[in-house]
Amino acid sequence: MPEAARWSLIVHGGAKTIDPDLHDRNRAGCAAAAEAGAAVLRAGGSAVFAAEVAVRVLEDDPVFNAGFGSVLTSDGTVEMDAAMMEGSGLTLGAVAGVRRVRNPVSVARLMLLARPVLLAGDGAERFATDHGMALVDPEAMVSREALASEHAKAHDTVGCVAIDAAGAIAAATSTGGLPGKHPGRIGDSPIAGAGLYADDTLGGCAFSGDGEAILRTVLAAQAMHALERGGSATEAADHAIARLGRVGGEAGVIVIERSSAFGIAHNSDHFALALHASGLDAPRAGVHRDEFKDILHG
Ligand code: ASP
């Protein structure tokens, strides 16, 4: 990655096993999200806005388990979690267990301006309407894909880390959680220090994977501590995934360090992702570790 990159952004569409028929759809969905976020950064927009725009694209694509397309709980309902963190003021916004919001990441972004850092269920939805967002019928969030793959095992949480031209860093996550989850169950995705983190003095990260395992090993904190010890983005990503071994489970992580360098690590079969930077002509997307070397250094 060119060191002179003025801005950069990386998105993921989940650390999971991806059916070969869906590799291209995952690549294309991530590339579209990266391009949308890049358009914000190219125009001088903030990392927070770029991350929100990129994650909204992923939330709207039913191939991913976030927003429309979220997996179903054991009751057959959709319950979504999302978070946004900006690393200049360590500001955080997160929602958990929302059912009537089309783009949960946008509620999380609005919460950056509010005192609470995490709102759940009805209270989060009330916050959304109080701030002018329309609610949808919970049934409208149930996609054909979710009904068809009700019992599929998949980690399709989506995420984004971006650094803007001013050096501000944002991280965002959004998820329907684990398929068949207990109603009310909350994973790592809306929890800072577990599913995401951003600090302009170090970098940012966003995870996908077994939420309980990521929470128990505070993986975002592990990645940030690795950066604090002087590790590169790649070392921080590898360190976090290695720590997961303590409890077992599957996860993937995207990292951007303060210098704009990217890090990727996962112990799942595949990891859908795309990155873009001011030195590149187009986003680079991949789903398999064999592709990631080219994506990072090609
Ligand atoms: N991390 C998410 C959760 O446990 C699931 C996922 O990555 O798909 O809620």
Side-chain angles (χ1 to χ4, degrees), residues 137-286:
D137 185 330
E139 293 289 313
M141 300 308 292
V142 178
S143 66
R144 233 180 306 147
E145 281 83 350
L147 286 170
S149 61
E150 203 176 341
H151 301 294
K153 178 167 163 25
H155 300 120
D156 311 81
T157 290
V158 305
C160 177
V161 183
I163 179 165
D164 64 29
I169 298 172
T173 54
S174 184
T175 188
L178 295 181
K181 68 184 181 182
H182 194 288
R185 175 266 187 194
I186 308 296
D188 60 298
S189 304
I191 308 297
L196 79 165
Y197 206 81
D199 178 342
D200 287 4
T201 68
L202 297 171
C205 58
F207 285 80
S208 166
D210 292 315
E212 284 72 11
I214 296 170
L215 279 161
R216 288 166 62 205
T217 49
V218 284
L219 288 196
Q222 299 289 353
M224 299 307 291
H225 289 154
L227 291 175
E228 199 167 21
R229 290 192 296 270
S232 67
T234 297
E235 286 163 350
D238 287 342
H239 172 71
I241 297 304
R243 289 293 298 190
L244 190 66
R246 187 76 198 284
V247 299
E250 210 170 65
V253 59
I254 51 174
V255 180
I256 293 184
E257 63 179 88
R258 203 166 61 99
S259 68
S260 293
F262 297 105
I264 301 166
H266 65 108
N267 65 358
S268 49
D269 287 344
H270 304 107
F271 194 19
L273 57 84
L275 59 79
H276 209 337
S278 49
L280 301 179
D281 294 335
R284 296 176 178 171

